[in-house]
Amino acid sequence: MRHIISLLVENEAGALSRISGLFSARGYNIESLTVATTEDHTLSRMTIITTGSDRIIEQITKQLNKLVDVVKLQDFTEGNFIEREMMFVKVKADGESQRAEVKRLSDIFRARIIDVTDTTFCIELTGAGDKLDAYIKAMHENNIVEVVRSGSMGIMRGEKALTL
Amino acid sequence: MELSGSEIIIQFLKDEGVKHLFGYPGGAVLHIYDALQKQDDVEHILVRHEQGATHAADGYARATGKPGVCLVTSGPGATNAITGIATAYMDSIPLVVLTGQVPSHAIGSDAFQEVDAVGVSRPCVKHNFLVKDLNKLAETLKKAFYVATTGRPGPVVVDIPKDITAPHIKIPYQYPEKIELRSYNPNFKGHPRQIKRAVELILNAKRPMIYTGGGIILDNASEELRNFVRKLGYPITQTLMGLGAFPGTDPHFIGMLGMHGTYEANMAMHECDVLICIGARFDDRITGVTSKFCPYAQVIHIDIDPASISKTINADIPIVGGAKQVLVELIKQLDQTELKVDKKALDAWWKTIKSWQSQNSFAYEQKKGLIQPQAAIEELYKVTNGDAYITSDVGQHQMYAAQFYHFDEPRRWINSGGLGTMGFGLPAAMGVKLAFPDKDVACVTGEGSIQMCIQELSTCLQYDLPVKIINLNNRYLGMVRQWQEFFYEKRYSHVYMDSLPDFVKLAEAYGHVGILVENPDDLHDAMVEAFKLKDRTVFLDIITDQEANVYPMISAGKAHNEMDISPLQQKVQASLKAKGELV
Ligand SMILES: Cc1cc2nc3c(=O)[nH]c(=O)nc-3n(C[C@H](O)[C@H](O)[C@H](O)COP(=O)(O)OP(=O)(O)OC[C@H]3O[C@@H](n4cnc5c(N)ncnc54)[C@H](O)[C@@H]3O)c2cc1C
Ligand SMILES: Cc1ncc(C[n+]2csc(CCOP(=O)(O)OP(=O)(O)O)c2C)c(N)n1
Ligand SMILES: [Mg+2]
């Protein structure tokens, strides 16, 4: 099953490699990993998307917790949470009809065109992973020049929070 | 007090109570060595190879319970130390390894003798640090010792760039008495409700089994374990890493379990209905195939590391906590509860176990004119009154030592279980002898293993560390040969030790005593002689039966009740069965 695990990690050099190293050394899957500092610059917030049986997920969270740099961890999957990912897509936009078609599709997906040239559009889109997948699918494959995805990040709904 | 980085390191070690430092110098640690030379509170032991330094520090740590400390240079110094660091990691041994690093400004430039020590060691340390700021040096060292020695112990590497240790840059120093890491809380206490549930299950058992491991020794919980077992009267088995925590000669102890454990311990594991595991980690050497493991048992698992629990075997009652603390609580609750041990069921259970014991699964055949390796260990046991510190290397000799030396005290049996590192034995023995100069210290080894760190014989002479080397010389990489005999139809591929050195002459060349023993009749006298020479390192080269095998054995894919027993045992078992004396 797919799990979304959120972590607070010491903002130290090497912390990221400890975490990615753990996943590769123990053969755990890693679908995406995002990381950036928080309002407290001594801490980084990380979101990891992984898949595995219940037993493996249990080991993953235990092994992550064991890392000295990991301050706090939560597996969001059981609870009520919001997951979002951001994507940039550069598409060919040559000629009136193609430009109109891309624009129409982007409106449907509430995507924003953030850069325009004579021949290309650059589009920004935020949403759950499957929405981004759907956009890419809807956009004709031949039109896509480049796709950049951030990987997912998550936050708990309501008053619950992953803080110190 | 204003000190340089190098002086801070030395002063810190003194303040931390470190007496011995195992190391090897080089460019990146020259400043530190200069500071070392100017004092004599911390004794430096110059090994002959950095692997030796880590194993010696490891042996010291296992025997004393205090952290072992090493100092090595950058690049090759650090990489040579890796095997020893990984060895300590797998067995949860507290080590602090200081590695020199190229100067901060040169890091990342492929400088001379530069290796990313933090990166290279990362998968086999509990934690590691790169010191980037002289002002954080003392605090980082304190963190290293704190992390290494608390919770589930383990090795910690501190990588120190050369500029941090420069003699002319001095800063105020104060020993950091206490340290806290917000991201690291090693103090787990067993949950009282879980402990209560465990007590109920323990007392409801009809066929109980206690299975303990290295965690008891790491937590110095032997006394509590003894009380617990004797209070219940239940049978106990211990892993290779747990031997000695509960006395090997106590009748409650039914031998080691696992691949080369006793028949009775493995049968009891298979048949038990409640398994009480304390400080052991269900390693694959003891579970065999997990699907056939303890099919009738409810499992209570007590461990300080949550990740050990339900990793390979599901725990019905998990208890995260230190072995000592949980045992104290268990004993307290056992004293208070109304429930009683089911005496009748227990008697029947012991009767079954005794019938398994009656076939003596370690029995071996004597062959005329040939020294059996088991006999050599039995002799060692007798001559040292079972009171020596025994280190070992890895192979058949290691298993014989575990089977035939009955350890009655913890920290006496010192071997590499998790990583199985050949070359561990001799340097580890040096570390033990340094800690306990008045005790007998013997290294049980094989002609293969001893050659992996034999250079340390030179260290033994320099620092007057008279250890006894018991070389069970079967002219084979015996453990590998055994597998090739059993599973590859005797196709012995590269396991024959040809062109062996003359170990007696070699020992003499290093300034020690060498004794060759070829005849079973000479074994006793040679052993006595070796231990009589109190202040000499003695190399006993014992020529043993080449084809001897370690029995019993659980092969891959087999369950505990499907052990392979020796040809001699097969006869014994048949006759016991014929008489109806074996259940
Ligand atoms: C050639 C060879 C053959 C082998 N054959 C066998 C065999 O037949 N039988 C056998 O048993 N082993 C055998 N081994 C050893 C085996 O590989 C493992 O090293 C060993 O079984 C592990 O022992 P353990 O479970 O006690 O764990 P250890 O590695 O000693 O781990 C200790 C456990 O205790 C926990 N712990 C640590 N501190 C505490 C504390 N304060 N409180 C509570 N818990 C704590 C740790 O988290 C860990 O789970 C063999 C090794 C070799 C090289
Ligand atoms: C460093 C290392 N390399 C290889 C092995 C694999 N190995 C395990 S036992 C063994 C043979 C050991 O031979 P010896 O020391 O002569 O002991 P014996 O089994 O003959 O008693 C080998 C090669 C190992 N454990 N460690
Ligand atoms: Mg051999």
Side-chain angles (χ1 to χ4, degrees), chain A residues 88-158:
Chain A
F88 294 142
V89 190
K90 191 170 285 177
V91 296
K92 283 185 215 143
D94 248 348
E96 267 324 296
S97 73
Q98 201 182 9
R99 288 174 90 90
E101 172 62 19
V102 171
K103 211 172 157 321
R104 195 178 62 82
L105 193 67
S106 300
D107 285 344
I108 295 171
F109 279 86
R110 291 173 203 267
R112 295 197 302 145
I113 297 170
I114 53 173
D115 186 52
V116 180
T117 70
D118 289 350
T119 53
T120 60
F121 281 162
C122 183
I123 296 142
E124 174 197 320
L125 175 57
T126 305
D130 49 359
K131 176 174 161 188
L132 308 194
D133 293 341
Y135 182 84
I136 291 172
K137 212 167 151 211
M139 184 66 61
H140 205 275
E141 199 185 303
N142 298 335
N143 289 343
I144 293 180
V145 179
E146 143 176 61
V147 171
V148 185
R149 294 177 70 150
S150 66
S152 288
M153 45 186 205
I155 194 163
M156 293 295 273
R157 279 188 193 278

Side-chain angles (χ1 to χ4, degrees), chain A residues 66, chain B residues 89-92 151-153 211-221 238-242 256-261 266 277-286 301-309 311 321-326 393-396 398-399 403 415-421 479 483 552:
Chain A
K66 228 170 109 168
Chain B
Y89 180 66
M90 289 297 280
D91 291 340
S92 307
R152 179 178 183 170
Y211 144 54
T212 62
I216 301 283
I217 293 176
L218 293 167
D219 209 21
N220 298 313
Q238 299 177 111
T239 67
L240 185 73
M241 300 315 294
M256 181 172 86
L257 78 164
M259 180 173 276
H260 293 299
N266 285 322
C277 169
I278 315 172
R281 58 185 174 84
F282 295 89
D283 182 81
D284 52 75
R285 301 281 106 161
I286 78 107
H301 190 179
I302 300 159
D303 201 293
I304 200 155
D305 179 4
S308 275
I309 294 177
K311 179 165 71 176
K324 202 187 191 93
Q325 179 258 327
V326 176
D393 268 304
V394 173
Q396 291 182 318
Q398 177 187 23
M399 293 299 110
Q403 291 178 338
N415 81 134
S416 163
L419 200 66
T421 309
M479 183 57 92
W483 282 59

Side-chain angles (χ1 to χ4, degrees), chain A residues 10 13 17-18 21 26 40 42-43 55 58-59 62-63 66-71 164, chain B residues 89 122 126-128 132 147 152 181-184 305-307 309-314:
Chain A
E10 293 289 357
S17 65
R18 284 180 216 285
R26 294 187 182 266
D40 173 352
T42 65
L43 285 175
R55 163 163 284 175
E58 184 181 329
Q59 267 298 309
K62 284 174 167 178
Q63 294 291 349
K66 228 170 109 168
L67 293 176
V68 171
D69 281 340
V70 172
V71 185
L164 280 193
Chain B
Y89 180 66
R122 197 194 62 233
K126 182 168 171 188
H127 197 56
N128 56 21
K132 288 187 182 153
V147 170
R152 179 178 183 170
L181 281 96
R182 63 178 171 184
S183 59
Y184 174 73
D305 179 4
I309 294 177
S310 297
K311 179 165 71 176
T312 50
I313 299 296
N314 194 52

Side-chain angles (χ1 to χ4, degrees), chain B residues 360-371:
Chain B
N360 184 13
S361 59
F362 287 165
Y364 58 94
E365 229 160 339
Q366 299 285 1
K367 292 185 204 158
K368 203 170 154 31
L370 284 180
I371 299 175

Side-chain angles (χ1 to χ4, degrees), chain B residues 323-385:
Chain B
K324 202 187 191 93
Q325 179 258 327
V326 176
L327 275 165
V328 166
E329 189 61 29
L330 278 171
I331 292 168
K332 203 169 98 196
Q333 294 205 20
L334 279 171
D335 284 338
Q336 289 165 355
T337 177
E338 308 275 275
L339 296 168
K340 291 261 170 319
V341 169
D342 185 340
K343 268 267 167 241
K344 223 173 117 201
L346 185 61
D347 286 347
W349 179 224
W350 268 115
K351 217 171 142 214
T352 309
I353 291 172
K354 292 218 164 95
S355 95
W356 292 326
Q357 278 175 324
S358 69
Q359 72 161 301
N360 184 13
S361 59
F362 287 165
Y364 58 94
E365 229 160 339
Q366 299 285 1
K367 292 185 204 158
K368 203 170 154 31
L370 284 180
I371 299 175
Q372 293 307 312
Q374 297 95 328
I377 304 294
E378 287 182 313
E379 200 57 56
L380 174 66
Y381 181 66
K382 265 187 251 153
V383 169
T384 56
N385 297 315

